[in-house]
Amino acid sequence: MKIKNVIGNVGKPEVCDKKLTALELKMIQSHIKIVPISKDHETAAKELILKGFEERSGFIDHSLNPDLNCLTETYSAEGALFLAGLIDNELVCTGAITNEGNGECRLQRMSVKAVIRSIKWKLR
């Protein structure tokens, strides 16, 4: 099993061929809880996504992102799902899956807080 960690914004993965034990996987998984987006986390999700745009491009064009104003409603359509990753109830990542038809889905709105992207997981 390969583990890939993206360090910072450079997009260069660090690859490790270490095989994880069941205990190590459980330890990693216990840090993050993935849940469907709720009204409680909508504002934080919007801010995280927009912060990512700003980090990558240096500006934000709000007119291109009307879905961010109402994530729970936008992504409640059949075949759509917006997920929030939480650590100690703090939103640290997002991702959406939308139905494109013909049996195809699109993975989008993937964002991860910069501080989380920079973590190198140390496995014991």
Side-chain angles (χ1 to χ4, degrees):
M1 166 182 237
K2 292 187 185 246
I3 306 165
K4 296 181 182 179
N5 293 325
V6 176
I7 309 303
N9 266 346
V10 295
K12 295 179 182 175
E14 180 180 296
V15 179
C16 172
D17 287 325
K18 180 178 180 182
K19 197 169 192 168
L20 297 179
T21 66
L23 179 61
E24 290 169 328
L25 280 172
K26 187 174 181 178
M27 187 174 65
I28 290 170
Q29 292 168 345
S30 71
H31 284 82
I32 191 161
K33 181 179 177 183
I34 306 295
V35 297
I37 192 72
S38 68
K39 291 279 186 187
D40 295 340
H41 298 291
E42 270 190 329
T43 300
K46 178 180 178 178
E47 290 171 1
L48 177 61
I49 293 165
L50 292 175
K51 178 76 173 160
F53 289 158
E54 190 172 37
E55 288 173 0
R56 285 187 299 278
S57 62
F59 70 95
I60 301 169
D61 184 344
H62 293 279
S63 68
L64 298 177
N65 301 288
D67 63 310
L68 297 181
N69 294 320
C70 203
L71 292 168
T72 54
E73 289 179 29
T74 301
Y75 292 96
S76 65
E78 186 176 336
L81 179 62
F82 193 97
L83 298 170
L86 309 171
I87 295 178
D88 295 331
N89 208 36
E90 177 187 349
L91 186 124
V92 297
C93 61
T94 65
I97 302 168
T98 55
N99 185 349
E100 296 293 303
N102 297 323
E104 295 180 8
C105 292
R106 179 182 299 226
L107 183 60
Q108 58 195 45
R109 294 295 188 209
M110 298 292 296
S111 295
V112 179
K113 269 191 171 181
V115 69
I116 300 299
R117 289 193 310 259
S118 68
I119 292 175
K120 284 188 178 182
W121 291 94
K122 292 186 179 180
L123 303 176
R124 297 178 198 148

